[in-house]
Amino acid sequence: MRYSGFKVLVQGLTGNRGWAPVWRTPDPRPAYDIVIIGGGGHGLSTAFYLAKTHGLRNIAVLEKGYLGGGNIGRNTTIVRADYSLPGNSEFYSHSLKLWEGLERELNFNVMHSQRGVIRLFHSDGQRDHYVFAGNAIANRGDGAELLDQDGLRRLVPYLDYDNARFPILGGLLHRRGGTARHDAVAWGYARGADGLGVDLVQNCEVTGIDIRNGAVTGVQTGRGPIRARKVAIVVAGRSSQVAAMAGLRLPIESHVLQAFVTEGLKPVVNHVISFGMGHFYISQSDKGGLVFGGDLDFYASYAQRGNLARQEQVMEAAMTLMPMIGKARVLRSWGGIMDMTPDGSPIIDKTPVDGLFLNAGWCYGGFKAVPASGEAFAHLIATGRPHPVARRFRLDRFRSGHLIDEEGAGSQHNLH
Amino acid sequence: MRIKCPLCGERDLREFTYRGAALPRPAPDAPDEAWDAYLHLRDNPAGPTRDLWHHRAGCSAWLVVRRDTATHEIFGVELATRSRAVRA
Ligand SMILES: Cc1cc2nc3c(=O)[nH]c(=O)nc-3n(C[C@H](O)[C@H](O)[C@H](O)COP(=O)(O)OP(=O)(O)OC[C@H]3O[C@@H](n4cnc5c(N)ncnc54)[C@H](O)[C@@H]3O)c2cc1C
Ligand SMILES: [Zn+2]
C-alpha cells in the first residue's frame, strides 16, 4: 500500500479499519542467495538497497529478536554531517544527502527534522578547533556557521553563558543537522525491503556460520540451518560473538551508552545542542520529552542498562549547561551496547572468509549512518568492490596504521 | 559496581579508570601481527573477562579485575604486578 495524505484522511474518516500489516512474517526458507544477520537499521537498509539498487531478490534478514529492537530503537536520534577527517567526511556527507531524500524514497514519514546542531565552545583553543572543523564541513558543502556569544544568545537564550567554570563563548551551527524518528527509520526500511521481496525473519538467532574450504556456505539458526552464497554480519554490539562463529577476532570492544528522556514539555529546546566540556547533548522529541545523553559507561559491558555514576555525571552536565532543566522530571533511562573500535570509526569490508562480509564498529554514531551504510554495504556485497564513500572503512586499517581517529583520542576502544 | 582494591579495600567505581582487556604485552621486536593483536583485537566476551583498572583516586595501583561483562559480578582483583594475565 502506498501511503499518502489522502489515504490518512480517508482512513481517519472510516475508523482506521483499512490499514494492512506493513510487512509479512515469513518462515525462513532453506536457502537464499544472501543472508543478512541482524535486523537493525544497518541490516534493514542493506537489504533495501540490495533489492532496490542492485535488483537482487533472494535475500533474507535474520533477526534474533524483533525488527528494530536493538540500538536502532535506543539512540538519541541525532543526524549530522559534521565530521572533518577524510573517510568519515565524505561518508557522512553522502549519508545526509540520502536522509534528505529518504521519506520520498521510502514513502514513509521518518520525521527527519533539520533543526540544526550546535556545538558549544568554552575556550579560545576550542574556538580555533571549531574554525578548523567548520571549514572542513563547509568545504564539503554541508554548511557550518561560527556563532559568537551574541549570535548564540539570540538562538538559545536559556544556557548558562556566564558559568564560572565553563563559560560559553559561542558555537558552531550545522543547520542541516537535526534528528529523525529512530523506530520509523527501521520500519520504513523494513517495509521497503519487504515490498521488494526480502524475507524479514524475526525470532531467528544465528548460532553458527558454516564455512567450507574457506568460503561461507550458510548459517545455523534457532530455526534450523539456512544455506547462503553470501552472508553479511550487521549485528552492532554483538559483532564479536557473531564474527567468532567464523573464527574471526575483531578490533572491537562492546560498551554501554545510556540515554535519558524527561516527561513531555512544551517546545523549549529547538535545536540539538552539545556541550563542549565533557560529553553531553540534548534535543526535544516531537512528543515533548527532552532526550539527552553523555559518555559511555567506559568499561566493557553487555548489560543493557547503565550505571549510576554515569547518570550522575550526565545530570551534572545538564545542570551546568542549562539550569532550567532541573525542573523537568526524568521519565526513563536505558542503555545500548556499542561496538567500539580503536579509532572510533566503522568497518564496512570483506572478511578473510570468501562470501562473508562485515559491517560493524559504529560506536555511538551509527544512526546517522544508516542510509549510507546500507547503500555502501549493499554495493560491496553485490559487486565485490567497496563503495567510493566507504572505501577507507577497511578491516585491516588498524594493522596498517590508517586509523580514522576523528577526535585524536588514541588507539583505545573506550576513548571515542 | 564496587571494586575491592587489594591495598585499599572495597571502593566506589568512580575511584577507578578502566584501561581495557588485560593482555600480555608483546616483546618490542615482536612482529606487527602481535602488536596489532595486542593493541586492537579483542575477544570481547559477553561473560567472564579480565581487564586492567587503575586505582586513580586511591593508591594509584594497576589492578587486574576478573568480572562478568553481562552481570557486572566481580570474581577477583589482584595487583597487575602479581598477575599472570599481563605477563608474556
Ligand atoms: C543510547 C544511545 C544513543 C545513541 N545516539 C546516537 C545518535 O544520537 N546519533 C547516531 O548517529 N547514533 C547514535 N547511536 C548509535 C546507533 O544507535 C548505532 O550505532 C546503530 O543503531 C547500530 O546499528 P544497527 O541499527 O544496525 O544496530 P541494532 O539495532 O543494534 O541492530 C543489530 C541487530 O542484530 C541483532 N542480532 C545480534 N546478534 C544476532 C544473532 N546472533 N542473530 C540474529 N540477529 C542478531 C540484534 O538483535 C539487533 O536487532 C546511539 C546508540 C545508543 C545506544
Ligand atoms: Zn587502591
Side-chain angles (χ1 to χ4, degrees):
Chain A
M1 181 196 284
R2 251 198 101 68
Y3 295 150
S4 65
F6 180 69
K7 287 238 167 76
V8 171
L9 187 71
V10 171
Q11 289 293 333
L13 293 174
T14 56
N16 283 309
R17 280 187 298 266
W19 299 116
V22 173
W23 52 76
R24 301 165 292 132
T25 47
D27 288 324
R29 281 188 269 137
Y32 291 92
D33 289 341
I34 303 171
V35 157
I36 295 169
I37 310 174
H42 294 248
L44 293 167
S45 63
T46 302
F48 174 78
Y49 291 110
L50 277 169
K52 174 95 198 229
T53 311
H54 302 279
L56 302 171
R57 289 293 178 270
N58 193 13
I59 304 167
V61 176
L62 309 182
E63 164 55 47
K64 78 171 171 188
Y66 61 94
L67 296 179
N71 291 334
I72 188 67
R74 291 169 179 263
N75 60 71
T76 44
T77 77
I78 301 168
V79 173
R80 54 188 167 85
D82 55 358
Y83 289 71
S84 314
L85 293 184
N88 284 333
S89 173
E90 65 265 30
F91 176 83
Y92 288 103
S93 176
H94 182 66
S95 203
L96 186 58
K97 292 192 190 89
L98 294 179
W99 275 104
E100 288 170 341
L102 193 59
E103 294 174 336
R104 254 164 293 138
E105 171 88 310
L106 297 177
N107 175 233
F108 202 85
N109 183 6
V110 300
M111 298 164 79
H112 183 215
S113 156
Q114 294 182 293
R115 58 187 67 182
V117 172
I118 305 172
R119 286 195 268 169
L120 306 176
F121 55 80
H122 309 264
S123 68
D124 292 345
Q126 207 172 17
R127 180 199 289 120
D128 291 349
H129 176 68
Y130 283 0
V131 169
F132 158 78
N135 282 336
I137 301 162
N139 284 340
R140 277 256 157 239
D142 295 326
E145 295 158 47
L146 200 72
L147 301 176
D148 60 11
Q149 203 197 60
D150 288 342
L152 190 62
R153 272 183 198 270
R154 277 195 289 278
L155 284 185
V156 280
Y158 48 79
L159 303 179
D160 185 6
Y161 286 90
D162 304 318
N163 187 287
R165 181 100 189 272
F166 306 122
I168 299 167
L169 305 184
L172 184 66
L173 170 62
H174 170 47
R175 284 191 198 273
R176 282 169 66 208
T179 60
R181 169 86 198 271
H182 50 12
D183 299 313
V185 175
W187 299 335
Y189 275 115
R191 172 172 169 267
D194 174 86
L196 293 167
V198 173
D199 278 0
L200 307 175
V201 186
Q202 306 184 60
N203 298 313
C204 185
E205 177 167 1
V206 171
T207 54
I209 295 178
D210 300 331
I211 297 166
R212 200 176 309 141
N213 300 326
V216 76
T217 58
V219 295
Q220 298 292 322
T221 81
R223 299 176 66 174
I226 299 174
R227 279 176 285 121
R229 292 195 296 151
K230 294 177 180 174
V231 172
I233 301 175
V234 208
V235 293
R238 291 279 164 175
S239 297
S240 297
Q241 277 77 42
V242 177
M245 295 172 193
L248 305 176
R249 194 159 174 254
L250 298 183
I252 286 178
E253 195 173 84
S254 292
H255 286 260
V256 169
L257 181 71
Q258 305 193 51
F260 308 83
V261 65
T262 68
E263 60 193 323
L265 304 167
K266 289 188 175 168
V268 54
V269 177
N270 300 326
H271 307 82
V272 178
I273 299 172
S274 90
F275 192 23
M277 298 311 293
H279 208 191
F280 174 82
Y281 36 91
I282 184 164
S283 66
Q284 188 165 16
S285 79
D286 291 336
K287 274 197 292 187
L290 300 176
V291 179
F292 55 95
D295 268 316
L296 296 175
D297 279 10
F298 274 136
Y299 48 88
S301 173
Y302 285 86
Q304 276 179 313
R305 56 184 153 72
N307 71 34
L308 283 168
R310 175 61 64 225
Q311 297 189 357
E312 183 180 35
Q313 191 265 339
V314 168
M315 300 303 157
E316 282 172 359
M319 290 300 292
T320 309
L321 177 65
M322 44 173 84
M324 72 173 183
I325 202 177
K327 292 195 178 157
R329 274 167 298 208
V330 173
L331 213 57
R332 284 181 293 129
S333 70
W334 62 92
I337 312 299
M338 318 281 61
D339 36 342
M340 302 299 298
T341 58
D343 64 358
S345 295
I347 298 159
I348 301 180
D349 205 350
K350 299 178 185 176
T351 70
V353 178
D354 267 354
L356 183 67
F357 299 84
L358 177 71
N359 178 318
W362 291 99
C363 302
Y364 44 79
F367 178 63
K368 67 181 84 62
V370 164
S373 163
E375 191 188 76
F377 200 35
H379 182 93
L380 178 71
I381 295 167
T383 68
R385 289 186 306 274
H387 189 285
V389 301
R391 67 194 164 77
R392 289 180 202 249
F393 293 157
R394 295 171 62 116
L395 178 57
D396 66 1
R397 72 172 181 272
F398 305 98
R399 184 171 161 202
S400 67
H402 293 84
L403 303 190
I404 312 171
D405 185 349
E406 192 72 33
E407 286 162 26
S411 209
Q412 188 177 318
H413 304 75
N414 66 336
L415 292 186
H416 300 280
Chain B
M1 212 158 93
R2 291 170 70 81
I3 296 177
K4 194 166 171 186
C5 172
L7 302 179
C8 311
E10 190 175 286
R11 294 298 181 91
D12 188 273
L13 177 71
R14 276 167 280 209
E15 292 190 6
F16 299 87
T17 303
Y18 170 85
R19 175 67 178 80
L23 302 169
R25 190 183 171 89
D29 56 353
D32 65 344
E33 289 92 343
W35 279 98
D36 177 40
Y38 173 68
L39 289 170
H40 308 125
L41 305 183
R42 296 291 177 261
D43 290 335
N44 195 20
T49 193
R50 268 198 182 88
D51 37 36
L52 274 171
W53 296 70
H54 181 214
H55 197 182
R56 186 195 71 251
C59 61
S60 208
W62 281 93
L63 308 175
V64 173
V65 177
R66 279 191 301 120
R67 63 185 184 97
D68 190 306
T69 58
T71 63
H72 293 172
E73 184 182 353
I74 295 185
F75 309 119
V77 184
E78 56 183 342
L79 292 173
T81 48
R82 304 245 169 96
S83 168
R84 255 184 294 160
V86 290
R87 217 167 294 151

